[in-house]
Amino acid sequence: MHSGRVMLAVTGAVDWATAGALRATALEEIAAGVRIVVVDFSYLSFWDSSGMGAVASAYRSATRVGASVALAGLSPTLEKTYRLTGMDRVVPLHRDVRTALTALTA
């Protein structure tokens, strides 16, 4: 964490077995006072609706306290799925962490 910001690096898969850990970590950071959460999916190989639900849950909790959540680094295949769900209209997606941080702190 730096100045109320945190980057959560996610690797492997986010599915029904692991989505709870992502959700819990994001919620803990928000409860601790973090106001900018960037989830780095650069090394994510798979996610399902549970993973997207974890992101949505973190986003809802963040907005209640005036915080922001953004995603970064989804592969083209996972990005396509994300955009097809319409989630990109709710939780912004950026090509990398630096771009996300710049957008959220502007």
Side-chain angles (χ1 to χ4, degrees), residues 43-99:
Y43 297 100
L44 185 72
S45 59
F46 173 82
W47 72 340
D48 64 11
S49 60
S50 302
M52 290 185 210
V55 168
S57 177
Y59 176 82
R60 283 190 304 272
S61 294
T63 57
R64 281 188 213 118
V65 296
S68 301
V69 174
L71 307 184
L74 278 174
S75 72
T77 302
L78 297 178
E79 178 180 343
K80 182 178 179 181
T81 304
Y82 187 69
R83 291 190 188 284
L84 284 172
T85 66
M87 286 275 299
D88 62 308
R89 291 186 295 264
V90 178
V91 183
L93 172 64
H94 302 276
R95 78 172 174 267
D96 55 43
V97 172
R98 179 175 295 220
T99 304

